[in-house]
Amino acid sequence: MSDPVSLAELPQLADITAPIEPIEPSTAGADVSRDGVSLRAVGSRVLHPDTVAAIADGAPEPIARGGGSALRSAPDPHVSTVYRPSGHLDLSATVSVFSRGGDGPCFRRDSSGVWLTMRTPLGGATLWMRQRRGDGEGGEVDARAWGAGREWAIARVPHLLGAHDDWSDLDVSASPLLSEVLRRNPGLRLASGGLVFEMLVPSIIEQKVTVVEAWGAWRRLVRRHGEAAPGPAPEGMFVVPGPEAWRFIPSWEWHAAGVDPRRSQTVVRASRVAEAIDRSGDAHAVEASRRLQSLPGIGVWTAAEVTLRAHGDADAVSVGDYHLAATVGTALTGEAVDDDGMLELLAPWAGQRQRVLRLIERSGIRKPRRGPRITIQDHRRH
């Protein structure tokens, strides 16, 4: 067995910190209290009473067009908040699980901040977030949301940024590698986005194909059948189709996007019970995973890909992933292992295995580039 990766091989990652108190916003228009914290609605904004005038009424709205970013006053109705995490927070690393390949139709990073779109129970929404630096360890996160689902989206910000994700019991002292990565990334959190069906569809599209194929198909389908993102979102952003829209996509359009009948039929079947799927967002991640796997075409890998994003599942492991087991083995032992070997290596961290996997991901370590590679197939020619 070869030696595990040494600490000297780790990329030099900057510490990102933001020690501030969490707040949970609510519907604008009244004074409210959440978990003992008083919130004050100011115009269209929901602000913590201790917050300085970080976002003043009439402030310019961020907007990006034509690949660049600019600021202008936007008339689009919106709600805003300033989120104060209770500890360190790395905004970019925490929400990266929603990227689906980077700058796609539902996720975008630009010089103004991070943009996400979502189809909430109240309708489509665009959410913009920017982390500000202050004196000492960090600063607040400014958040604004547009669209029919803006109140839902802004209220979800604390969960989205891992407000309830507690890493204090994670003991990685037995691994110098993991200890060092954790030290360098004190702000890494597991995001909890809710919206289980919305997380499920792209996970199904990613089944047993390369990410290049999956992300390309996802972009084509969302841009074709979704709706333009509300508010001043960057050009080319869309809100994902709703369950009914997924259900009635013609077979030839799935084919044109490069999605084979097995995956498209799984999405269509799931869309028929989308309401029941979304109700599992209130269940424990283990129960949600069990419910998802009761559906035809959804197995352990797909369920884990959903619960780690929708529930912030601290123990999710995507067993069956083409690269994951080899990457874990390379990081922890110096050589690739199979799924059984990966589960054995992760066993000491039962209950927190997703956190360990996120640390390995942040280390930059990947499996050796040798051996067979999965073939990219063009299903449009079949």
Side-chain angles (χ1 to χ4, degrees), residues 209-224:
V209 295
T210 68
V211 292
V212 173
E213 295 171 272
W215 292 339
W218 171 248
R219 290 187 176 101
R220 285 189 286 270
L221 290 167
V222 171
R223 287 170 177 156
R224 171 73 172 169

Side-chain angles (χ1 to χ4, degrees), residues 205-289:
I205 292 174
E206 292 174 1
Q207 291 175 348
K208 299 185 183 301
V209 295
T210 68
V211 292
V212 173
E213 295 171 272
W215 292 339
W218 171 248
R219 290 187 176 101
R220 285 189 286 270
L221 290 167
V222 171
R223 287 170 177 156
R224 171 73 172 169
H225 299 280
E227 62 189 51
E235 187 175 0
M237 292 197 73
F238 287 81
V239 176
V240 297
E244 186 173 357
W246 285 115
R247 192 178 313 138
F248 290 107
I249 294 176
S251 59
W252 58 86
E253 291 202 19
W254 288 104
H255 188 70
V259 179
D260 61 83
R262 179 188 58 81
R263 288 179 291 154
S264 64
Q265 290 166 11
T266 300
V267 172
V268 171
R269 283 194 297 265
S271 71
R272 297 189 180 113
V273 291
E275 288 188 12
I277 290 172
D278 275 334
R279 285 197 295 271
S280 70
D282 295 326
H284 188 278
V286 173
E287 173 61 17
S289 177

Side-chain angles (χ1 to χ4, degrees), residues 119-326:
R119 183 171 294 280
T120 80
L122 303 178
T126 297
L127 176 65
W128 168 83
M129 294 178 290
R130 177 184 62 196
Q131 188 167 20
R132 290 185 285 115
R133 302 302 179 199
D135 295 334
E137 295 179 317
E140 298 92 345
V141 174
D142 297 336
R144 303 182 186 183
W146 297 262
R150 58 187 179 272
E151 301 286 357
W152 192 96
I154 209 73
R156 190 74 197 183
V157 167
H159 296 275
L160 191 71
L161 300 184
H164 304 294
D165 181 33
D166 183 6
W167 290 57
S168 60
D169 291 334
L170 179 63
D171 182 4
V172 292
S173 58
S175 169
L177 169 73
L178 297 178
S179 298
E180 178 64 9
V181 177
L182 181 59
R183 184 190 70 79
R184 296 184 185 185
N185 294 268
L188 186 59
R189 293 290 176 266
L190 299 183
S192 176
L195 302 175
V196 183
F197 178 74
E198 186 165 315
M199 300 297 110
L200 175 62
V201 174
S203 298
I204 293 172
I205 292 174
E206 292 174 1
Q207 291 175 348
K208 299 185 183 301
V209 295
T210 68
V211 292
V212 173
E213 295 171 272
W215 292 339
W218 171 248
R219 290 187 176 101
R220 285 189 286 270
L221 290 167
V222 171
R223 287 170 177 156
R224 171 73 172 169
H225 299 280
E227 62 189 51
E235 187 175 0
M237 292 197 73
F238 287 81
V239 176
V240 297
E244 186 173 357
W246 285 115
R247 192 178 313 138
F248 290 107
I249 294 176
S251 59
W252 58 86
E253 291 202 19
W254 288 104
H255 188 70
V259 179
D260 61 83
R262 179 188 58 81
R263 288 179 291 154
S264 64
Q265 290 166 11
T266 300
V267 172
V268 171
R269 283 194 297 265
S271 71
R272 297 189 180 113
V273 291
E275 288 188 12
I277 290 172
D278 275 334
R279 285 197 295 271
S280 70
D282 295 326
H284 188 278
V286 173
E287 173 61 17
S289 177
R290 185 193 67 78
R291 295 184 194 178
L292 288 170
Q293 291 181 65
S294 70
L295 300 173
I298 299 175
V300 175
W301 182 90
T302 305
E305 290 292 303
V306 173
T307 61
L308 72 87
R309 294 175 173 88
H311 297 77
D313 185 358
D315 201 44
V317 181
S318 301
V319 176
D321 189 272
Y322 191 72
H323 302 286
L324 184 61

Side-chain angles (χ1 to χ4, degrees), residues 342-355:
M342 173 182 68
L343 293 175
E344 183 177 350
L345 289 173
L346 295 175
W349 297 289
Q352 304 202 65
R353 295 177 296 178
Q354 177 59 209
R355 294 192 177 108

